[in-house]
Amino acid sequence: MISVDERDFLLLNALRENSRCSLKQLQDKTDLASPTLYKRIQRLFTQGIIRKATVIIDWKKAGFPIHLFFSVEADQNIFQQFIETQKCVNTLFVLRGERQCFFEAYFSSGAEADKFITEMEEKVKPTQIYFWEVGDVKNDCFQISEI
């Protein structure tokens, strides 16, 4: 079993805030020496806890101000075939053994969102579909108190 201690969480949180920060900045946030930080980061990658370094996109600034969360009950195969062709879908969660799917999507306009929903209703024929518009949220940050 892989264990992650409190210092690992501080390190992970600092990297989530800015994966390009310097070792000096990480030292300040974790109170760990550079060699120790380097070894911990390598271990977290090796253990698969850190899967990749990536970017967080500000979708509003990129021209997609409409952020919706969906809950859809439908045939998994038909739904998956449809959703794989949709560029607006950012994150997809499929519950095991269920017909329920949750996903988030970004749209440039309300009309684009309406078109997506209409197309999904026609092609997937869900038995249920719910969606909510999301306001500003603080994301990609694990909440932990400092040591």
Side-chain angles (χ1 to χ4, degrees):
M1 177 186 229
I2 298 172
S3 65
V4 177
D5 64 19
E6 196 166 347
R7 293 218 188 257
D8 286 335
F9 276 116
L10 286 174
L11 175 57
L12 291 167
N13 203 35
L15 289 170
R16 286 178 77 180
E17 280 181 33
N18 180 4
S19 63
R20 296 179 61 183
C21 65
S22 68
L23 282 177
K24 173 67 174 124
Q25 290 168 315
L26 289 174
Q27 281 178 296
D28 293 343
K29 291 187 179 215
T30 62
D31 290 326
L32 295 170
S34 292
T36 304
L37 280 169
Y38 181 78
K39 287 177 186 174
R40 280 184 182 248
I41 291 170
Q42 290 304 107
R43 177 180 54 80
L44 292 167
F45 268 108
T46 301
Q47 292 176 332
I49 294 168
I50 298 176
R51 293 185 295 179
K52 64 181 177 177
T54 186
V55 298
I56 298 171
I57 300 166
D58 185 324
W59 290 106
K60 284 182 183 177
K61 289 181 181 175
F64 299 91
I66 310 294
H67 182 196
L68 301 178
F69 272 112
F70 288 84
S71 171
V72 176
E73 186 175 306
D75 178 276
Q76 295 283 345
N77 294 325
I78 296 169
F79 177 77
Q80 190 147 357
Q81 287 174 3
F82 171 76
I83 215 72
E84 286 175 354
T85 66
Q86 304 303 309
K87 294 180 182 174
C88 60
V89 175
N90 188 52
T91 306
L92 170 66
F93 303 93
V94 178
L95 301 181
R96 289 192 180 144
E98 297 286 332
R99 294 170 42 93
Q100 196 76 26
C101 302
F102 298 96
F103 64 95
E104 69 170 335
Y106 293 88
F107 303 94
S108 60
S109 66
E112 184 185 26
D114 288 342
K115 181 180 174 190
F116 169 82
I117 293 166
T118 300
E119 186 179 351
M120 181 171 52
E121 288 173 332
E122 291 170 358
K123 292 184 177 179
V124 177
K125 300 188 183 348
T127 54
Q128 284 186 340
I129 179 171
Y130 299 101
F131 61 93
W132 303 267
E133 186 166 5
V134 179
D136 288 333
V137 293
K138 181 177 181 179
N139 60 1
D140 297 312
C141 183
F142 191 81
Q143 303 300 315
I144 184 169
S145 60
E146 294 191 24
I147 295 176

